[in-house]
Amino acid sequence: EAGVVQSPRYKIIEKKQPVAFWCNPISGHNTLYWYRQNLGQGPELLIRYENEEAVDDSQLPKDRFSAERLKGVDSTLKIQPAELGDSAVYLCASSSTGTTSGNTIYFGEGSWLTVV
Amino acid sequence: SQKIEQNSEALNIQEGKTATLTCNYTNYSPAYLQWYRQDPGRGPVFLLLIRENEKEKRKERLKVTFDTTLKQSLFHITASQPADSATYLCAGGGGYNKLIFGAGTRLAVHP
């Protein structure tokens, strides 16, 4: 069974440029998450989807970040314009349902963003 | 604010010894705690889950405890091997589908 697939794996952009990350979750997983992980820190939730509905986006900086999950499968996360402080690893994850009952979250390998 | 705190200092141990990592939670009571392993350049991989009504959970060489009085979880790796070297993340979950991660503790097992 394929895991969570993310692309690109690495991206270097200049500040003020746009960038987009793509995620394909594990087949059949209704819940999709985008996390951001800064160097030396744990992952922090940006947005959580239940099917195609964003049910928790309280930590998403909405002035420059946007996300979508069309048809409840793949998802994209966009940053426009990027700032130096956005340099981090963007992790996509999925689970069969939400985490209230302790369902396992499966992470992708991450998209490493460097803003110069 | 709700926090999961892990020892930020790396843990260095000799092969064959037991590694013990600590996770403390503050300002909330997670219904469960999860432990993940993260290798450099890779995403976290789930290892174990323990619920608040469970004292201890085991899986092969791994053991996790949950002490609601101390607000702490301990993660043990017995008979450690150099291949166990990685960063281990603790995460607390429960209400509102929130999973809060600690910063992780890096473990280095030396031959």
Side-chain angles (χ1 to χ4, degrees):
Chain A
E1 177 182 297
V4 177
V5 180
Q6 292 187 245
S7 69
R9 283 281 281 139
Y10 305 95
K11 191 76 175 178
I12 301 174
I13 61 171
E14 293 184 343
K15 62 182 180 183
K16 299 185 182 180
Q17 294 302 305
V19 64
F21 306 113
W22 173 82
C23 173
N24 179 244
I26 292 173
S27 177
H29 279 190
N30 298 324
T31 306
L32 184 145
Y33 314 78
W34 283 102
Y35 283 86
R36 177 169 60 188
Q37 186 173 25
N38 292 307
L39 190 63
Q41 299 298 314
E44 294 179 320
L45 181 68
L46 291 174
I47 189 168
R48 175 172 65 91
Y49 283 92
E50 295 291 345
N51 298 304
E52 63 271 11
E53 182 183 359
V55 295
D56 184 356
D57 62 355
S58 57
Q59 301 301 313
L60 189 72
K62 298 181 182 64
D63 56 337
R64 297 182 300 107
F65 287 65
S66 64
E68 62 181 8
R69 190 183 185 197
L70 300 175
K71 300 181 181 179
V73 181
D74 295 358
S75 178
T76 57
L77 177 70
K78 298 178 181 178
I79 308 174
Q80 181 171 12
E83 297 179 351
L84 295 177
D86 296 331
S87 297
V89 180
Y90 291 84
L91 292 162
C92 181
S94 70
S95 63
S96 55
T97 60
T99 59
T100 300
S101 59
N103 270 322
T104 300
I105 294 180
Y106 297 86
F107 284 88
E109 299 289 45
S111 292
W112 293 63
L113 174 66
T114 301
V115 182
V116 297
Chain B
S1 61
Q2 300 171 341
K3 284 187 179 180
I4 295 287
E5 295 175 312
Q6 297 182 255
N7 193 340
S8 59
E9 291 185 13
L11 179 63
N12 291 281
I13 65 168
Q14 228 32 54
E15 181 177 9
K17 300 293 185 183
T18 296
T20 299
L21 284 68
T22 304
C23 171
N24 295 291
Y25 54 91
T26 56
N27 297 326
Y28 84 125
S29 298
Y32 60 86
L33 292 165
Q34 295 183 339
W35 284 87
Y36 290 77
R37 169 181 173 144
Q38 187 170 27
D39 291 287
R42 310 295 295 274
V45 175
F46 172 80
L47 296 174
L48 277 172
L49 176 148
I50 184 167
R51 300 188 187 281
E52 61 180 343
N53 61 348
E54 298 174 317
K55 296 292 186 186
E56 181 180 297
K57 206 78 167 285
R58 291 176 184 262
K59 179 183 177 182
E60 298 173 351
R61 294 184 295 112
L62 308 180
K63 185 179 84 171
V64 174
T65 63
F66 197 155
D67 189 326
T68 55
T69 301
L70 294 178
K71 297 191 174 185
Q72 182 179 85
S73 173
L74 297 179
F75 176 82
H76 307 272
I77 305 176
T78 59
S80 59
Q81 305 164 1
D84 295 326
S85 299
T87 294
Y88 291 86
L89 299 166
C90 174
Y96 304 106
N97 274 316
K98 287 287 190 184
L99 193 62
I100 300 172
F101 282 85
T105 298
R106 188 163 62 84
L107 172 66
V109 182
H110 303 282

